[in-house]
Amino acid sequence: MKELLISLDNRRKEPLYEQIYSFIKREIQSGKIPAGEKLPSSRNLARQLAVSRSTVDLAYDQLSSEGYLESIPCKGYYAGDISALYQLDSFSQAAEPVREASKPQYLCDFDVNGIADEGFPVNAWRKLSKEVLAGAEPSLFCLGDPQGEWSLRETVASYLHHARGVSCGPDQIVVGAGNDYLLMLLSVLLGREQPIAMENPTYKSAYRCFRSLGHPVRAVPLDDAGMSPEKLEECGARIAYVMPSHQFPMGMVMPIRRRMQLLSWAADQDGRYLIEDDYDSEFRYKGKPVPALQGYDTHDRVIYLGTFSKSLAPSIRISYMVLPRKLMPFYQRTGRCFSATVSRADQKILELFMREGYFERHLNRMRALYKGRHDFLMRQLRRMQDLCTVSGENAGLHVLLSLKNGRNEREAVELAGEAGIHILGLSEYFIGEMSPEDSHTVLLGYGTLDEEQIEKGCAGLAAAWRK
């Protein structure tokens, strides 16, 4: 049995189980651990490394799933024969694929899209995955309902009613692999000739999706309350895409009066609809959560979009759409021809995760984690009051900084980059031209950063912008 001399570093962003996994994988690939050699038991290795046994189990499970280890019942773990893996590597190298450029490395990356490294509930998800697969019937691996499994839709409908004030039945919910898929499906239902009104600035991924599907996009400017009803009326579109609970990127929460104005606009003519993207409503730090726009809709005009990308992980790729009842006949005629895009197994795992209380506990944990990071960031930014003002700080996982020392957005981004800090300017999210010279606002995301990184990043920005 080979002794594994693994050096673990708690300061690295890479989780401990991944450090163990990477070390053993390299040892096997290099031949230092030959095929057939026995490895320490997970209990013994955990004791040697002073980590929990579950940490070692995660590493061993991953290595086993990739063929680097072979688990023999009642005997233990043995190094696998990876000759076939090397042949595959050789084939890949011979093909000379075009590789994407590696992501730049920064001292601090204020990413607006990421989640906390420790955010995904690995242990609970792993436990439920084992339960689902252990008791799986053959039908679990067959193609499921195009609309999503009924039991999951029941669970989502219950959650939306209690957490977001959304009024719907499971028959109105469509489950899909990400919002992009749901927007493509929605495009089929509404007709690709339909112009789409979007807030400006807006979520560029949705904008690019609509444009690629052939929809004319009408940019509607924002005022202090959100999308302007007057400008919306003037643009001539019958479909409007809005983010009332937390507008991206501006971070505003749409007040009730403006919500009623948009609902009145939609109800005024047949064929008008509001697409409500409620992408991160779970994270709010001031006041009570504002119910979804759909909950106030008495004329069946709101199409509600929700996702688990922010609350769980982007890679889960499970989103859902609540269709108004008057659109359901169109879906039954033209939408059900598209097969299910989320596996039945993943849907069952998510259903159990929600039904058995894991999701509620997970959200409470993440709210506390993100609020701690939010509050710490705000304390750091108070030291920069001479440089900038803060907005959009009451919800979500990013804030906006508006420079007031004469620097424009372009200068702020370039100086930050020279200091090894990655930030994005507000002009990145505008439809049409907005010169960075005319903008003085940048975005800081903090979901992926711990307090030490936030402190270093803010100190670096302050030093760079005071030059």
Side-chain angles (χ1 to χ4, degrees):
M1 181 184 298
K2 185 176 182 65
E3 183 178 358
L4 301 179
L5 302 177
I6 306 175
S7 178
L8 300 180
D9 187 351
N10 287 304
R11 295 170 296 179
R12 287 166 57 184
K13 290 184 66 175
E14 186 182 25
L16 295 178
Y17 84 89
E18 286 191 10
Q19 296 181 41
I20 298 170
Y21 156 83
S22 298
F23 176 88
I24 296 175
K25 180 178 177 180
R26 287 194 301 269
E27 294 288 287
I28 294 175
Q29 287 177 330
S30 66
K32 294 179 181 178
I33 301 179
E37 181 160 327
K38 186 175 183 181
L39 274 73
S41 68
S42 59
R43 185 188 302 277
N44 288 338
L45 185 56
R47 185 184 302 114
Q48 174 193 329
L49 299 178
V51 298
S52 69
R53 186 177 176 184
S54 63
T55 298
V56 178
D57 283 337
L58 282 172
Y60 276 8
D61 285 350
Q62 185 63 34
L63 289 162
S64 298
S65 68
E66 294 180 14
Y68 289 99
L69 292 184
E70 181 181 359
S71 176
I72 301 178
C74 304
K75 289 188 176 182
Y77 288 94
Y78 294 80
D81 180 0
I82 61 169
S83 56
L85 297 181
Y86 278 112
Q87 291 169 9
L88 180 60
D89 287 344
S90 300
F91 174 81
S92 298
Q93 291 167 7
E96 296 184 357
V98 178
R99 300 184 182 277
E100 293 183 0
S102 59
K103 186 177 179 180
Q105 297 297 309
Y106 301 101
L107 295 175
C108 181
D109 187 352
F110 285 102
D111 182 11
V112 298
N113 295 313
I115 65 168
D117 286 345
E118 64 272 45
F120 188 71
V122 174
N123 292 333
W125 201 263
R126 183 164 167 262
K127 172 181 175 292
L128 293 173
S129 299
K130 286 184 175 181
E131 288 181 12
V132 168
L133 295 177
E137 297 180 358
S139 61
L140 187 69
F141 306 103
C142 297
L143 200 60
D145 189 323
Q147 203 170 332
E149 296 305 298
W150 181 266
S151 56
L152 174 61
R153 288 188 276 142
E154 278 187 322
T155 304
V156 170
S158 176
Y159 164 73
L160 290 176
H161 174 70
H162 292 98
R164 299 298 300 128
V166 171
S167 176
C168 70
D171 58 310
Q172 294 173 259
I173 295 175
V174 180
V175 176
N179 278 17
D180 291 345
Y181 165 76
L182 294 176
L183 291 179
M184 288 189 284
L185 179 57
L186 194 55
S187 176
V188 173
L189 303 183
L190 298 175
R192 294 192 176 182
E193 74 285 354
Q194 287 281 2
I196 307 288
M198 298 191 74
E199 300 160 322
N200 198 24
T202 194
Y203 179 47
K204 273 299 188 68
S205 179
Y207 166 73
R208 287 190 288 266
C209 186
F210 285 131
R211 286 293 303 271
S212 67
L213 292 169
H215 291 278
V217 175
R218 310 282 168 79
V220 178
L222 300 174
D223 57 26
D224 291 342
M227 179 180 277
S228 165
E230 293 80 14
K231 299 295 183 182
L232 173 58
E233 185 71 45
E234 291 172 8
C235 81
R238 296 200 298 168
I239 312 295
Y241 174 95
V242 293
M243 295 168 276
S245 294
H246 185 229
Q247 203 279 337
F248 186 89
M250 298 305 293
M252 65 181 64
V253 178
M254 186 180 290
I256 296 295
R257 183 171 180 272
R258 177 57 52 85
R259 295 176 186 230
M260 295 299 106
Q261 290 173 329
L262 292 182
L263 288 171
S264 177
W265 169 86
D268 191 53
Q269 293 183 20
D270 287 340
R272 284 183 173 180
Y273 291 98
L274 296 167
I275 303 173
E276 177 182 12
D277 189 343
D278 205 22
Y279 68 100
D280 74 347
S281 59
E282 292 89 358
F283 306 115
R284 183 171 170 81
Y285 312 114
K286 184 178 180 181
K288 294 181 179 180
V290 179
L293 179 68
Q294 195 269 4
Y296 296 101
D297 179 21
T298 58
H299 291 85
D300 209 27
R301 298 303 178 92
V302 175
I303 301 163
Y304 179 90
L305 294 176
T307 180
F308 293 97
S309 291
K310 286 289 187 182
S311 57
L312 281 174
S315 62
I316 290 295
R317 304 309 297 154
I318 301 180
S319 296
Y320 50 89
M321 173 169 63
V322 178
L323 291 172
R325 292 206 176 274
K326 60 178 60 179
L327 281 181
M328 289 308 300
F330 291 93
Y331 174 76
Q332 297 299 333
R333 288 199 302 269
T334 61
R336 290 187 65 85
C337 63
F338 297 96
S339 298
T341 54
V342 181
S343 77
R344 299 182 75 184
D346 287 339
Q347 291 187 58
K348 188 63 180 179
I349 294 167
L350 178 58
E351 176 203 334
L352 294 178
F353 188 79
M354 299 179 74
R355 281 189 186 275
E356 296 183 8
Y358 291 102
F359 188 48
E360 181 179 2
R361 292 192 290 273
H362 169 72
L363 283 182
N364 289 336
R365 181 174 69 87
M366 296 311 297
R367 285 188 188 107
L369 175 69
Y370 287 138
K371 187 176 189 308
R373 294 182 179 183
H374 166 275
D375 293 350
F376 186 83
L377 173 64
M378 296 306 296
R379 289 196 293 272
Q380 301 304 307
L381 294 179
R382 289 191 196 105
R383 302 174 182 175
M384 300 166 58
Q385 290 179 344
D386 60 316
L387 294 173
C388 57
T389 57
V390 182
S391 60
E393 73 277 16
N394 293 331
L397 300 178
H398 78 276
V399 299
L400 292 90
L401 301 186
S402 296
L403 279 293
K404 60 180 185 180
N405 65 340
R407 301 232 182 251
N408 60 35
E409 173 196 307
R410 184 187 298 278
E411 294 170 329
V413 171
E414 289 178 352
L415 287 170
E418 291 171 4
I421 301 169
H422 180 236
I423 58 175
L424 289 173
L426 181 60
S427 63
E428 298 272 350
Y429 302 95
F430 268 82
I431 300 172
E433 290 298 321
M434 181 199 186
S435 169
E437 281 75 18
D438 294 333
S439 169
H440 300 269
T441 302
V442 297
L443 282 72
L444 264 62
Y446 54 87
T448 63
L449 304 177
D450 59 30
E451 291 187 356
E452 181 180 356
Q453 293 168 319
I454 291 173
E455 185 173 20
K456 288 181 179 179
C458 289
L461 288 178
W465 292 343
R466 286 196 173 106
K467 287 182 179 179

